[in-house]
Coordinates of all heavy atoms in Angstrom, one line a residue:
M1 N 88.9 95.1 91.9 CA 89.6 95.7 93.0 C 89.8 97.2 92.6 O 90.2 97.5 91.5 CB 90.9 95.0 93.2 CG 91.8 95.7 94.2 SD 93.3 94.8 94.6 CE 92.6 93.4 95.4
K2 N 89.6 98.0 93.6 CA 89.8 99.5 93.4 C 91.3 99.8 93.6 O 91.9 99.3 94.6 CB 89.0 100.3 94.4 CG 87.5 100.1 94.2 CD 86.7 101.0 95.2 CE 85.2 100.8 95.0 NZ 84.5 101.5 95.9
F3 N 91.8 100.7 92.8 CA 93.2 101.1 92.9 C 93.3 102.4 93.6 O 93.4 103.4 93.0 CB 93.8 101.2 91.5 CG 93.9 99.9 90.7 CD1 93.0 99.6 89.7 CD2 94.8 98.9 91.1 CE1 93.1 98.4 89.0 CE2 94.9 97.7 90.5 CZ 94.0 97.4 89.4
T4 N 93.2 102.3 94.9 CA 93.3 103.4 95.8 C 94.4 103.3 96.8 O 94.9 102.2 97.0 CB 92.0 103.6 96.6 OG1 91.8 102.5 97.4 CG2 90.8 103.7 95.6
Q5 N 94.8 104.4 97.5 CA 95.8 104.3 98.5 C 95.4 103.4 99.6 O 96.2 102.7 100.2 CB 96.1 105.7 99.0 CG 97.2 105.8 100.0 CD 98.6 105.3 99.5 OE1 98.9 105.8 98.4 NE2 99.3 104.5 100.2
H6 N 94.1 103.4 100.0 CA 93.6 102.5 101.0 C 93.8 101.1 100.7 O 94.2 100.3 101.6 CB 92.1 102.8 101.2 CG 91.5 102.0 102.3 ND1 91.8 102.2 103.7 CD2 90.6 101.0 102.3 CE1 91.1 101.3 104.4 NE2 90.4 100.6 103.6
T7 N 93.6 100.7 99.5 CA 93.8 99.3 99.0 C 95.3 98.9 99.1 O 95.7 97.9 99.6 CB 93.3 99.1 97.6 OG1 91.9 99.4 97.5 CG2 93.5 97.6 97.1
L8 N 96.1 99.8 98.7 CA 97.6 99.6 98.8 C 98.0 99.5 100.2 O 98.8 98.6 100.5 CB 98.3 100.8 98.1 CG 99.9 100.7 98.2 CD1 100.4 99.5 97.5 CD2 100.5 102.0 97.6
D9 N 97.5 100.3 101.1 CA 97.8 100.2 102.5 C 97.5 98.8 103.1 O 98.2 98.2 103.8 CB 97.1 101.3 103.3 CG 97.6 102.7 103.0 OD1 98.7 102.8 102.4 OD2 96.9 103.7 103.3
K10 N 96.3 98.3 102.7 CA 95.9 97.0 103.2 C 96.8 95.9 102.7 O 97.1 95.0 103.4 CB 94.4 96.7 102.8 CG 93.4 97.6 103.6 CD 92.0 97.2 103.5 CE 91.5 96.8 102.2 NZ 90.0 96.6 102.1
I11 N 97.2 96.0 101.4 CA 98.1 95.0 100.9 C 99.5 95.0 101.5 O 100.1 94.0 101.9 CB 98.2 95.1 99.3 CG1 96.8 94.8 98.7 CG2 99.2 94.2 98.8 CD1 96.7 95.1 97.2
E12 N 100.0 96.3 101.7 CA 101.3 96.4 102.4 C 101.2 95.9 103.8 O 102.2 95.3 104.3 CB 101.7 97.9 102.4 CG 102.1 98.4 101.0 CD 102.5 99.9 101.0 OE1 102.1 100.6 102.0 OE2 103.1 100.3 100.0
R13 N 100.1 96.1 104.5 CA 100.0 95.6 105.8 C 100.2 94.1 106.0 O 100.7 93.6 106.9 CB 98.6 96.0 106.4 CG 98.5 95.9 107.9 CD 97.2 96.5 108.5 NE 97.0 97.9 108.1 CZ 95.9 98.3 107.3 NH1 95.0 97.5 107.0 NH2 95.8 99.6 107.0
I14 N 99.8 93.3 104.9 CA 100.0 91.9 104.9 C 101.5 91.6 105.1 O 101.9 90.8 105.9 CB 99.4 91.2 103.7 CG1 97.9 91.4 103.6 CG2 99.8 89.8 103.5 CD1 97.2 90.9 102.3
A15 N 102.3 92.2 104.3 CA 103.7 92.0 104.3 C 104.3 92.5 105.6 O 105.1 91.8 106.3 CB 104.4 92.7 103.1
E16 N 103.9 93.6 106.1 CA 104.4 94.2 107.3 C 104.0 93.4 108.5 O 104.9 93.2 109.4 CB 103.9 95.6 107.5 CG 104.5 96.6 106.5 CD 103.8 97.9 106.4 OE1 102.7 98.1 107.0 OE2 104.3 98.8 105.7
E17 N 102.9 92.8 108.6 CA 102.5 91.9 109.7 C 103.3 90.6 109.7 O 103.4 90.0 110.7 CB 101.0 91.6 109.6 CG 100.1 92.8 110.0 CD 98.6 92.5 109.8 OE1 98.2 91.3 109.5 OE2 97.8 93.4 110.0
S18 N 103.9 90.3 108.6 CA 104.8 89.1 108.6 C 106.3 89.5 108.7 O 107.2 88.7 108.5 CB 104.6 88.3 107.2 OG 103.4 87.7 107.2
G19 N 106.5 90.7 109.1 CA 107.9 91.2 109.5 C 108.6 91.8 108.3 O 109.8 92.1 108.5
Y20 N 108.0 92.1 107.2 CA 108.7 92.7 106.1 C 108.6 94.2 106.2 O 107.6 94.8 106.7 CB 108.1 92.3 104.7 CG 108.5 90.9 104.3 CD1 107.7 89.8 104.7 CD2 109.6 90.7 103.5 CE1 108.1 88.5 104.3 CE2 110.0 89.4 103.1 CZ 109.2 88.4 103.5 OH 109.6 87.1 103.1
V21 N 109.6 94.9 105.7 CA 109.7 96.4 105.7 C 109.5 96.7 104.2 O 110.2 96.2 103.3 CB 111.0 96.9 106.2 CG1 111.1 98.4 106.0 CG2 111.2 96.5 107.6
I22 N 108.5 97.6 103.9 CA 108.3 98.1 102.6 C 108.9 99.4 102.4 O 108.7 100.3 103.2 CB 106.8 98.2 102.3 CG1 106.0 96.9 102.6 CG2 106.5 98.6 100.8 CD1 106.3 95.8 101.8
R23 N 109.8 99.6 101.4 CA 110.4 100.8 101.1 C 110.2 101.2 99.7 O 110.2 100.4 98.8 CB 111.9 100.7 101.4 CG 112.2 100.6 102.9 CD 113.7 100.5 103.2 NE 114.6 101.2 102.3 CZ 115.9 100.9 102.3 NH1 116.5 100.1 103.1 NH2 116.6 101.6 101.4
Y24 N 110.1 102.5 99.4 CA 110.0 103.0 98.1 C 111.3 103.8 97.8 O 111.6 104.8 98.5 CB 108.8 103.9 97.9 CG 107.5 103.1 98.0 CD1 106.8 102.9 99.2 CD2 107.0 102.5 96.8 CE1 105.7 102.1 99.2 CE2 105.9 101.8 96.8 CZ 105.2 101.6 98.0 OH 104.1 100.8 98.0
E25 N 112.0 103.3 96.8 CA 113.3 103.9 96.5 C 113.5 104.1 95.0 O 112.8 103.5 94.2 CB 114.5 103.0 97.0 CG 114.5 102.8 98.5 CD 114.9 103.9 99.3 OE1 115.6 104.8 98.8 OE2 114.5 104.0 100.5
R26 N 114.4 104.9 94.6 CA 114.7 105.1 93.2 C 115.8 104.0 92.8 O 116.7 103.7 93.6 CB 115.3 106.5 93.0 CG 115.5 106.9 91.6 CD 115.9 108.3 91.5 NE 117.3 108.4 91.7 CZ 118.0 109.5 91.6 NH1 117.4 110.6 91.3 NH2 119.3 109.5 91.8
G27 N 115.6 103.4 91.7 CA 116.6 102.4 91.2 C 116.2 101.9 89.9 O 115.2 102.2 89.3
S28 N 117.0 101.0 89.4 CA 116.8 100.5 88.0 C 116.3 99.0 88.2 O 116.9 98.1 87.9 CB 118.1 100.5 87.2 OG 119.1 99.8 87.9
F29 N 115.0 99.0 88.7 CA 114.4 97.7 88.9 C 113.7 97.3 87.7 O 112.8 98.0 87.2 CB 113.3 97.7 90.1 CG 113.8 98.4 91.3 CD1 113.3 99.6 91.7 CD2 114.8 97.8 92.1 CE1 113.7 100.2 92.9 CE2 115.2 98.4 93.3 CZ 114.7 99.6 93.7
Q30 N 114.1 96.2 87.0 CA 113.5 95.8 85.8 C 112.0 95.4 86.0 O 111.2 95.6 85.2 CB 114.2 94.6 85.1 CG 115.6 95.1 84.6 CD 116.3 94.0 83.8 OE1 115.9 92.8 83.9 NE2 117.3 94.4 83.1
S31 N 111.7 94.8 87.2 CA 110.4 94.3 87.5 C 109.6 95.3 88.4 O 108.5 95.0 88.7 CB 110.5 92.9 88.1 OG 111.3 93.0 89.2
G32 N 110.3 96.4 88.8 CA 109.6 97.3 89.6 C 109.8 97.1 91.1 O 109.3 97.8 91.9
Y33 N 110.6 96.0 91.4 CA 110.8 95.7 92.9 C 112.1 95.0 93.0 O 112.7 94.5 92.1 CB 109.7 94.9 93.4 CG 109.5 93.5 92.8 CD1 110.2 92.5 93.4 CD2 108.7 93.3 91.8 CE1 110.1 91.2 92.8 CE2 108.6 92.1 91.2 CZ 109.3 91.0 91.7 OH 109.2 89.8 91.1
C34 N 112.5 94.9 94.3 CA 113.7 94.1 94.7 C 113.4 93.5 96.1 O 112.9 94.2 96.9 CB 114.9 95.0 94.7 SG 116.4 94.2 95.4
I35 N 113.7 92.3 96.3 CA 113.4 91.6 97.6 C 114.8 91.3 98.2 O 115.6 90.6 97.6 CB 112.6 90.3 97.5 CG1 111.3 90.6 96.7 CG2 112.4 89.7 98.8 CD1 110.6 89.3 96.4
L36 N 115.0 91.8 99.4 CA 116.2 91.4 100.2 C 115.7 90.4 101.3 O 115.3 90.7 102.4 CB 116.8 92.6 100.9 CG 117.2 93.8 99.9 CD1 117.6 95.0 100.7 CD2 118.2 93.3 99.0
Q37 N 115.7 89.1 100.9 CA 115.1 88.0 101.7 C 115.7 88.0 103.1 O 115.0 87.8 104.1 CB 115.2 86.7 101.0 CG 114.4 86.5 99.8 CD 112.9 86.3 100.1 OE1 112.4 86.5 101.2 NE2 112.2 86.0 99.1
A38 N 117.0 88.0 103.2 CA 117.7 87.9 104.5 C 117.3 88.9 105.5 O 117.2 88.7 106.7 CB 119.2 87.9 104.3
K39 N 116.9 90.1 105.0 CA 116.6 91.2 105.9 C 115.1 91.5 105.9 O 114.6 92.4 106.6 CB 117.3 92.5 105.5 CG 118.8 92.4 105.7 CD 119.5 93.7 105.4 CE 121.0 93.5 105.6 NZ 121.7 94.7 105.8
K40 N 114.3 90.7 105.1 CA 112.9 90.9 105.0 C 112.5 92.3 104.6 O 111.7 93.0 105.2 CB 112.2 90.5 106.3 CG 112.1 89.0 106.5 CD 111.2 88.7 107.6 CE 110.4 87.5 107.3 NZ 109.4 87.1 108.3
V41 N 113.2 92.8 103.6 CA 112.9 94.2 103.0 C 112.5 94.0 101.6 O 113.1 93.3 100.8 CB 114.2 95.0 103.1 CG1 114.0 96.4 102.4 CG2 114.7 95.2 104.5
V42 N 111.4 94.7 101.3 CA 110.9 94.8 99.9 C 111.1 96.3 99.5 O 110.6 97.2 100.1 CB 109.4 94.4 99.8 CG1 108.9 94.6 98.4 CG2 109.2 93.0 100.3
V43 N 111.8 96.4 98.4 CA 112.1 97.8 97.8 C 111.3 97.9 96.5 O 111.5 97.1 95.6 CB 113.6 98.0 97.6 CG1 113.8 99.4 97.1 CG2 114.4 97.8 98.9
L44 N 110.4 98.8 96.5 CA 109.6 99.1 95.3 C 110.1 100.4 94.6 O 110.5 101.3 95.3 CB 108.1 99.2 95.7 CG 107.5 98.0 96.3 CD1 106.1 98.3 96.8 CD2 107.4 96.9 95.2
N45 N 109.9 100.4 93.3 CA 110.2 101.6 92.5 C 109.3 102.8 93.0 O 108.1 102.7 92.8 CB 110.1 101.3 91.1 CG 110.6 102.4 90.2 OD1 110.6 103.6 90.6 ND2 111.0 102.1 89.0
K46 N 109.9 103.8 93.5 CA 109.1 104.9 94.0 C 108.3 105.7 92.9 O 107.5 106.5 93.2 CB 109.9 105.9 94.8 CG 110.8 106.8 94.1 CD 111.5 107.7 95.0 CE 112.3 108.8 94.3 NZ 112.8 109.8 95.3
F47 N 108.7 105.5 91.6 CA 108.1 106.2 90.5 C 106.8 105.5 90.0 O 106.1 106.0 89.1 CB 109.0 106.4 89.4 CG 110.2 107.3 89.8 CD1 111.5 106.8 89.9 CD2 110.0 108.6 90.1 CE1 112.5 107.6 90.3 CE2 111.0 109.4 90.5 CZ 112.3 108.9 90.6
L48 N 106.5 104.3 90.6 CA 105.3 103.6 90.2 C 104.0 104.4 90.7 O 104.1 104.9 91.8 CB 105.2 102.2 90.8 CG 106.2 101.2 90.2 CD1 106.1 99.9 91.0 CD2 105.9 100.9 88.7
Q49 N 103.0 104.4 89.9 CA 101.7 105.0 90.3 C 101.0 104.0 91.2 O 101.5 102.8 91.4 CB 100.9 105.3 89.1 CG 101.5 106.3 88.1 CD 101.7 107.7 88.8 OE1 100.9 108.1 89.5 NE2 102.9 108.3 88.4
I50 N 99.9 104.4 91.8 CA 99.2 103.5 92.8 C 98.8 102.2 92.1 O 99.0 101.1 92.7 CB 97.9 104.2 93.2 CG1 98.2 105.5 94.1 CG2 97.0 103.3 94.0 CD1 98.7 105.1 95.4
E51 N 98.3 102.2 90.9 CA 97.9 100.9 90.2 C 99.1 100.0 90.1 O 99.0 98.8 90.3 CB 97.3 101.2 88.9 CG 96.8 100.0 88.2 CD 96.1 100.3 86.9 OE1 95.8 101.4 86.6 OE2 95.7 99.3 86.2
G52 N 100.3 100.6 89.7 CA 101.5 99.8 89.5 C 102.0 99.2 90.8 O 102.4 98.1 90.9
R53 N 101.9 100.0 91.9 CA 102.3 99.6 93.2 C 101.4 98.4 93.7 O 101.9 97.4 94.3 CB 102.2 100.7 94.2 CG 103.3 101.8 94.0 CD 103.2 102.9 94.9 NE 104.2 104.0 94.6 CZ 104.5 104.9 95.4 NH1 103.9 105.1 96.6 NH2 105.4 105.8 95.1
I54 N 100.1 98.5 93.5 CA 99.2 97.5 93.9 C 99.5 96.2 93.1 O 99.6 95.1 93.7 CB 97.7 98.0 93.8 CG1 97.4 99.0 94.8 CG2 96.7 96.8 93.9 CD1 96.1 99.7 94.6
N55 N 99.6 96.3 91.8 CA 99.8 95.1 91.0 C 101.2 94.5 91.3 O 101.3 93.3 91.4 CB 99.8 95.5 89.5 CG 98.4 95.7 89.0 OD1 97.4 95.2 89.5 ND2 98.2 96.6 88.1
T56 N 102.2 95.3 91.6 CA 103.5 94.8 92.0 C 103.4 94.0 93.3 O 103.9 92.9 93.5 CB 104.5 95.9 92.1 OG1 104.6 96.5 90.8 CG2 105.9 95.3 92.5
M57 N 102.7 94.6 94.3 CA 102.5 93.9 95.6 C 101.8 92.6 95.5 O 102.1 91.6 96.1 CB 101.9 94.9 96.6 CG 102.8 96.0 97.2 SD 104.2 95.3 98.0 CE 103.5 94.4 99.4
I58 N 100.7 92.6 94.6 CA 100.0 91.4 94.4 C 100.9 90.3 93.8 O 100.8 89.1 94.2 CB 98.7 91.7 93.6 CG1 97.7 92.5 94.4 CG2 98.1 90.3 93.1 CD1 96.5 93.0 93.5
D59 N 101.7 90.7 92.8 CA 102.6 89.8 92.2 C 103.7 89.3 93.2 O 104.1 88.1 93.1 CB 103.4 90.4 91.0 CG 102.4 90.7 89.9 OD1 101.3 90.1 89.8 OD2 102.8 91.5 89.0
L60 N 104.1 90.1 94.2 CA 105.1 89.8 95.1 C 104.6 88.8 96.3 O 105.4 88.0 96.8 CB 105.6 91.0 95.8 CG 106.7 91.8 95.1 CD1 107.0 93.1 95.8 CD2 107.9 91.0 95.0
L61 N 103.4 88.9 96.7 CA 102.9 88.2 97.9 C 103.2 86.7 97.8 O 103.7 86.2 98.8 CB 101.4 88.4 98.1 CG 101.0 89.8 98.7 CD1 99.5 89.9 98.8 CD2 101.7 90.0 100.0
P62 N 103.0 86.0 96.7 CA 103.4 84.6 96.7 C 104.9 84.3 96.9 O 105.2 83.2 97.3 CB 102.9 84.1 95.4 CG 101.9 85.1 94.9 CD 102.3 86.4 95.5
Q63 N 105.7 85.3 96.6 CA 107.2 85.1 96.7 C 107.7 85.3 98.1 O 108.8 84.9 98.5 CB 107.9 86.0 95.7 CG 107.6 85.7 94.3 CD 108.3 86.7 93.4 OE1 109.4 87.0 93.5 NE2 107.5 87.3 92.5
L64 N 106.9 86.0 98.9 CA 107.3 86.4 100.3 C 106.9 85.2 101.2 O 106.0 84.5 101.0 CB 106.6 87.7 100.7 CG 106.8 88.9 99.9 CD1 106.0 90.1 100.5 CD2 108.3 89.2 99.8
N65 N 107.7 85.1 102.3 CA 107.4 84.1 103.3 C 106.4 84.7 104.3 O 106.7 85.2 105.3 CB 108.7 83.7 104.0 CG 108.5 82.6 105.0 OD1 107.5 81.9 104.9 ND2 109.4 82.5 105.9
I66 N 105.1 84.6 103.9 CA 104.0 85.2 104.7 C 103.5 84.2 105.7 O 103.2 83.1 105.4 CB 102.8 85.6 103.8 CG1 103.2 86.6 102.8 CG2 101.6 86.1 104.7 CD1 103.7 88.0 103.3
N67 N 103.6 84.6 107.0 CA 103.1 83.8 108.1 C 101.6 84.1 108.3 O 101.3 85.1 108.9 CB 103.9 84.0 109.4 CG 103.4 83.2 110.5 OD1 102.5 82.4 110.4 ND2 104.1 83.4 111.7
I68 N 100.7 83.3 107.7 CA 99.3 83.6 107.8 C 98.8 83.6 109.2 O 97.8 84.4 109.5 CB 98.5 82.6 106.9 CG1 97.1 83.2 106.6 CG2 98.4 81.3 107.5 CD1 96.4 82.8 105.4
D69 N 99.4 82.9 110.1 CA 98.9 82.9 111.5 C 99.2 84.2 112.2 O 98.6 84.6 113.2 CB 99.6 81.8 112.3 CG 99.1 80.4 111.7 OD1 97.9 80.3 111.3 OD2 99.9 79.4 111.8
A70 N 100.2 85.0 111.7 CA 100.6 86.2 112.3 C 99.7 87.4 111.8 O 99.8 88.5 112.3 CB 102.1 86.6 112.0
L71 N 98.9 87.1 110.8 CA 98.1 88.2 110.2 C 96.8 88.4 111.0 O 96.3 87.4 111.6 CB 97.7 87.8 108.7 CG 98.8 87.6 107.8 CD1 98.3 87.2 106.4 CD2 99.8 88.8 107.7
T72 N 96.3 89.6 110.9 CA 95.0 89.9 111.5 C 93.9 89.2 110.6 O 94.2 88.8 109.5 CB 94.7 91.4 111.5 OG1 94.7 91.9 110.2 CG2 95.7 92.2 112.3
H73 N 92.7 89.0 111.2 CA 91.7 88.4 110.4 C 91.4 89.0 109.1 O 91.3 88.4 108.0 CB 90.4 88.3 111.3 CG 89.2 87.6 110.6 ND1 89.3 86.3 110.3 CD2 88.1 88.1 110.0 CE1 88.1 86.0 109.6 NE2 87.4 87.0 109.5
E74 N 91.4 90.4 109.1 CA 91.1 91.1 107.9 C 92.3 90.9 106.8 O 92.0 90.7 105.6 CB 91.1 92.6 108.2 CG 90.8 93.5 106.9 CD 90.8 95.0 107.2 OE1 90.8 95.4 108.4 OE2 90.8 95.7 106.3
S75 N 93.5 90.9 107.3 CA 94.6 90.6 106.4 C 94.6 89.2 105.9 O 95.0 88.9 104.7 CB 96.0 90.9 107.1 OG 96.1 92.3 107.4
Q76 N 94.3 88.2 106.7 CA 94.2 86.8 106.3 C 93.2 86.7 105.2 O 93.4 86.0 104.2 CB 93.7 85.9 107.5 CG 94.8 85.6 108.5 CD 94.3 84.8 109.6 OE1 93.1 84.4 109.7 NE2 95.2 84.5 110.6
K77 N 92.0 87.3 105.3 CA 91.0 87.2 104.3 C 91.5 87.8 103.0 O 91.3 87.2 101.9 CB 89.7 88.0 104.8 CG 88.6 87.9 103.9 CD 87.3 88.6 104.5 CE 86.2 88.6 103.5 NZ 85.1 89.4 104.0
L78 N 92.1 89.0 103.0 CA 92.6 89.7 101.8 C 93.7 88.9 101.2 O 93.7 88.7 100.0 CB 93.1 91.1 102.2 CG 93.6 91.9 101.0 CD1 92.6 92.1 99.9 CD2 94.2 93.2 101.5
F79 N 94.6 88.3 102.0 CA 95.7 87.5 101.5 C 95.2 86.3 100.8 O 95.6 85.9 99.7 CB 96.6 87.1 102.6 CG 97.8 86.2 102.2 CD1 98.8 86.7 101.5 CD2 97.8 84.8 102.5 CE1 99.9 85.9 101.1 CE2 98.8 84.0 102.1 CZ 99.9 84.6 101.4
T80 N 94.2 85.6 101.3 CA 93.6 84.5 100.7 C 92.9 84.8 99.4 O 93.1 84.1 98.4 CB 92.5 83.8 101.6 OG1 93.2 83.5 102.9 CG2 91.9 82.6 101.0
E81 N 92.2 86.0 99.3 CA 91.6 86.4 98.1 C 92.7 86.8 97.0 O 92.5 86.4 95.9 CB 90.8 87.7 98.4 CG 89.5 87.5 99.2 CD 88.8 88.8 99.5 OE1 89.2 89.8 98.9 OE2 88.0 88.7 100.4
L82 N 93.7 87.4 97.4 CA 94.7 87.9 96.5 C 95.6 86.7 95.9 O 95.9 86.7 94.7 CB 95.7 88.9 97.1 CG 95.1 90.2 97.5 CD1 96.1 91.1 98.2 CD2 94.5 90.9 96.2
T83 N 95.8 85.7 96.8 CA 96.6 84.6 96.3 C 95.8 83.6 95.5 O 96.4 82.8 94.8 CB 97.3 83.9 97.5 OG1 96.4 83.5 98.4 CG2 98.4 84.8 98.1
A84 N 94.5 83.7 95.6 CA 93.6 82.9 94.8 C 93.3 83.5 93.4 O 92.8 82.8 92.5 CB 92.3 82.7 95.5
L85 N 93.7 84.7 93.2 CA 93.5 85.4 91.9 C 94.4 84.7 90.8 O 95.5 84.4 91.1 CB 93.9 86.9 91.9 CG 93.0 87.8 92.7 CD1 93.6 89.2 92.8 CD2 91.6 87.8 92.1
P86 N 93.9 84.5 89.6 CA 94.7 84.0 88.5 C 95.8 85.0 88.1 O 95.5 86.2 88.2 CB 93.7 83.7 87.4 CG 92.6 84.6 87.7 CD 92.5 84.8 89.1
A87 N 96.9 84.5 87.8 CA 98.0 85.3 87.3 C 97.6 86.1 86.1 O 97.1 85.5 85.1 CB 99.3 84.5 87.2
A88 N 97.9 87.3 86.0 CA 97.6 88.1 84.8 C 98.5 87.9 83.7 O 99.7 87.6 83.8 CB 97.5 89.6 85.2

């Protein structure tokens, strides 16, 4: 997988299509992110580089309540590929 802004945008779109809001903020996140489940908000450390943001989003996807039926065909395909990857 290429670590580009385009790839990050596609991964973020998966969460956004399921109703999540992605925000980049400053904070003391030990894991690089914080999930506010009740509000469907994902807060990522704004100091992460592109590769860190992509890896964090890939790690987060299984923890989010993703409605695969609400995703576009392209997002469904990417979501299936990402969730099938072995954990690093």
Side-chain angles (χ1 to χ4, degrees):
M1 171 174 293
K2 295 181 182 177
F3 294 106
T4 64
Q5 184 63 46
H6 181 67
T7 302
L8 178 61
D9 292 343
K10 291 193 317 188
I11 295 171
E12 287 177 344
R13 195 171 305 119
I14 293 171
E16 291 168 351
E17 288 175 4
S18 287
Y20 285 88
V21 175
I22 309 292
R23 291 180 27 195
Y24 289 92
E25 301 286 337
R26 190 172 81 175
S28 58
F29 311 113
Q30 290 185 349
S31 55
Y33 65 88
C34 174
I35 304 172
L36 305 172
Q37 291 286 12
K39 296 187 179 198
K40 286 190 138 186
V41 174
V42 175
V43 182
L44 297 169
N45 187 334
K46 75 177 191 175
F47 297 111
L48 289 173
Q49 299 298 322
I50 293 288
E51 183 175 352
R53 291 177 181 195
I54 289 171
N55 287 330
T56 300
M57 284 300 298
I58 291 171
D59 291 343
L60 275 174
L61 284 178
Q63 298 177 47
L64 302 178
N65 185 18
I66 301 295
N67 179 1
I68 197 154
D69 294 328
L71 302 179
T72 62
H73 180 67
E74 180 182 353
S75 292
Q76 286 178 357
K77 184 177 175 185
L78 180 60
F79 178 71
T80 303
E81 290 173 14
L82 293 175
T83 54
L85 290 174

